[in-house]
Amino acid sequence: MGRVTTIDRRTTLRMSAAGALAPLAAGCGSTGADGPGASARTAPPGTGGASATPSPGAFARARHHAPAPGPRRFPGLPEQIERGPAGRPRIALTFHGQGAPATARALFAEAERAGARITVLAVGTWLDEYPALARRVLDGGHELGNHTQRHLDINALPRTEARAEIADCARRLRRLTGAPGTWFRPSRTRRASPLVAALARAEGYPHVLSYGVDSLDHTSPGPAAVVRTVAARAAPGAVVSLHFGYPGTVAALPALLDELARRGLKAVTTTELLS
């Protein structure tokens, strides 16, 4: 079952075996919203670089499933969404998808144990290396989105390269799930530049998914600090930024979900939050 870790006098965390993994340099870290700890500049080993595609076997497996939901427009909501309506006791936990698959699976297990649904914004090179995780997200009742192909500083890229970052990840998602994902989130930034937002619209994403609460889990502050940081700003309608690839996030999630439940807040997908 894993070990029990006490992070303060009031909170006991259940940590899976995957939580014992060392933090990964490939995690989707940040400067401000997304930055120098992020895997960014190179594709993960074994992907063949940015042009690599999932195996034919992965495509064949994906065809046995119904297509995943695609992007949708929410009339009346801004182009860049940082939060949802405050009138319902719901909150969206959104995860930047990158890092070791064992850590991702441990996060799914903790979320599903608590009846929570999450939003995963996947990096394309991560999908290249671990294509089965795309379907794992959906099979768990969660939702899947686009976090660019290589996790570069997309706002700093020229138009052609920035569009390719969005389009290449969307192509991976379509091949694996039948849809380009429900959301686009820009990489290594909290908000998209006007150019990147326009490029995302051209690729079929009516909105850019930002966030209003940064967990700062990419700084590896320890599970208790992650829980405190999110809890301090958790409120109905909040959109929270978290990351795969960090064992401390796995360790923090049970206590975080317990705290949200204590406040009467239910963790739902971003689409559910806004619907």
Side-chain angles (χ1 to χ4, degrees):
M1 180 67 168
R3 67 178 184 273
V4 173
T5 303
T6 300
I7 59 173
D8 60 31
R9 286 181 293 183
R10 293 172 293 112
T11 307
T12 299
L13 301 180
R14 183 175 52 255
M15 191 167 185
S16 71
L21 294 170
L24 298 169
C28 182
S30 309
T31 295
D34 248 348
S39 111
R41 284 126 331 237
T42 59
T47 65
S51 62
T53 58
S55 69
F59 300 156
R61 288 190 296 274
R63 284 196 292 271
H64 293 296
H65 298 270
R72 58 179 280 198
R73 181 179 298 280
F74 289 86
L77 292 188
E79 178 181 65
Q80 302 204 46
I81 294 173
E82 294 185 352
R83 61 168 295 112
R88 291 176 291 179
R90 297 178 175 182
I91 191 169
L93 304 181
T94 67
F95 288 80
H96 300 218
Q98 203 169 10
T103 309
R105 292 187 183 106
L107 281 163
F108 293 137
E110 294 293 359
E112 291 158 16
R113 186 177 291 115
R117 290 182 293 275
I118 64 175
T119 300
V120 179
L121 293 312
V123 175
T125 51
W126 186 66
L127 296 174
D128 287 341
E129 191 166 13
Y130 309 114
L133 286 178
R135 182 51 58 178
R136 173 63 183 88
V137 173
L138 301 173
D139 288 348
H142 314 294
E143 72 177 341
L144 186 62
N146 179 333
H147 194 37
T148 75
Q149 178 59 25
R150 294 175 294 163
H151 201 267
L152 303 174
D153 181 358
I154 193 167
N155 282 349
L157 298 177
R159 173 186 291 267
T160 300
E161 192 173 351
R163 182 159 189 173
E165 283 294 305
I166 302 169
D168 287 354
C169 186
R171 190 174 302 117
R172 267 72 172 170
L173 288 163
R174 285 192 190 94
R175 287 169 172 166
L176 292 169
T177 72
T182 49
W183 298 99
F184 167 71
R185 172 170 287 171
S187 48
R188 295 173 62 79
T189 181
R190 187 170 187 155
R191 293 179 61 84
S193 68
L195 171 62
V196 170
L199 294 174
R201 286 196 305 274
E203 291 298 327
Y205 301 96
H207 303 279
V208 171
L209 180 57
S210 183
Y211 50 89
V213 180
D214 189 347
S215 70
L216 300 176
D217 62 341
H218 59 271
T219 65
S220 297
V226 172
V227 174
R228 286 195 303 269
T229 298
V230 176
R233 298 188 61 192
V239 177
V240 182
S241 171
L242 294 139
H243 295 74
F244 285 0
Y246 292 87
T249 305
V250 180
L253 192 58
L256 176 57
L257 291 171
D258 286 348
E259 176 61 19
L260 296 178
R262 188 185 68 79
R263 300 183 186 193
L265 293 172
K266 181 174 178 58
V268 298
T269 67
T270 306
T271 297
E272 289 174 309
L273 182 74
L274 301 174
S275 298

